[in-house]
Amino acid sequence: CALPISLAQAAAEAGADVILVAGRTELPTPPGVLRVPAVSAADMAREVLARVDACDLFVAVAAVADYTPAHPHPEKLKKSESALTVKLTPTVDILATVAARPNAPFCVGFAAESQDVLRLAEEKRRRKKLPLIVANRAQDALGADDNEVTLLDDSGSTPLPRMNKLALARRLVHEIAQRLPFAPSA
């Protein structure tokens, strides 16, 4: 997905100091962005939580993974005729953890849903106590060069038109900046 990289690029273009904690990707890191690699959900949580206290804004673009194997095997499991059961345990909800901190930065989440997008996104926003969430239909965004989103906050919903992901990222940076509690009045 190009949006996390595009959002980091758009934020850096707007003058923000950007730290991008990201998993493996072939996409290049935008100029002016500090990239911190994370291999697993636990790595990502550790890297985010080590840095977030110095941030005014935290944007969680995508969940790294909701679950992880309870008992990972150090080697490849060989195929057999027996059924295999894998026990999964929940990973740390990085966004909820950051948003619950006593002096949390302004937190923005994303909700890629396959159905009932606005209702599920608003439930997620309220459950995680987020000032802003960006909602979209997952099946329309994944693998596409463009996207269409709706912003949800305490004021209601603001749909944004379909546009390429870099243009959308720039628009999102603008929209987020307008909502920051310390944003200068326009």
Side-chain angles (χ1 to χ4, degrees):
C1 175
L3 188 57
I5 298 293
S6 298
L7 196 55
Q9 177 181 338
E13 288 173 359
D17 292 327
V18 180
I19 301 170
L20 175 65
V21 179
R24 296 179 186 152
T25 180
E26 297 300 317
L27 297 171
T29 302
V33 172
L34 171 62
R35 182 179 178 144
V36 178
V39 176
S40 68
D43 288 344
M44 188 167 284
R46 185 174 42 258
E47 296 295 347
V48 166
L49 296 175
R51 291 167 172 76
V52 74
D53 285 338
C55 297
D56 296 317
L57 170 65
F58 177 69
V59 181
V61 178
V64 61
D66 291 330
Y67 293 92
T68 190
H71 307 289
H73 293 272
E75 300 168 359
K76 177 185 172 191
L77 294 177
K78 296 293 184 185
K79 185 176 181 177
S80 73
E81 297 299 317
S82 303
L84 179 65
T85 300
V86 178
K87 183 177 181 182
L88 301 174
T89 58
T91 58
V92 171
D93 185 326
I94 299 169
L95 177 56
T97 302
V98 170
R101 291 172 87 93
N103 294 311
F106 187 88
C107 290
V108 179
F110 278 66
E113 304 291 348
S114 60
Q115 61 187 8
D116 209 0
V117 175
L118 297 182
R119 181 183 63 79
L120 293 173
E122 180 61 14
E123 286 175 3
K124 179 178 183 178
R125 186 183 79 82
R126 291 183 183 278
R127 182 176 64 254
K128 295 186 184 199
K129 297 178 176 61
L130 305 176
L132 178 63
I133 198 160
V134 181
N136 68 296
R137 281 177 28 105
Q139 59 269 41
D140 295 342
L142 296 175
D145 293 330
D146 58 2
N147 198 1
E148 179 180 1
V149 302
T150 300
L151 308 179
L152 299 165
D153 60 18
D154 286 340
S155 300
S157 64
T158 305
L160 300 183
R162 180 166 292 282
M163 61 185 90
N164 77 56
K165 288 184 178 176
L166 181 56
L168 177 59
R170 289 176 175 138
R171 177 72 184 271
L172 287 173
V173 167
H174 173 78
E175 293 286 343
I176 292 166
Q178 296 300 308
R179 290 166 170 80
L180 292 174
F182 48 85
S185 51

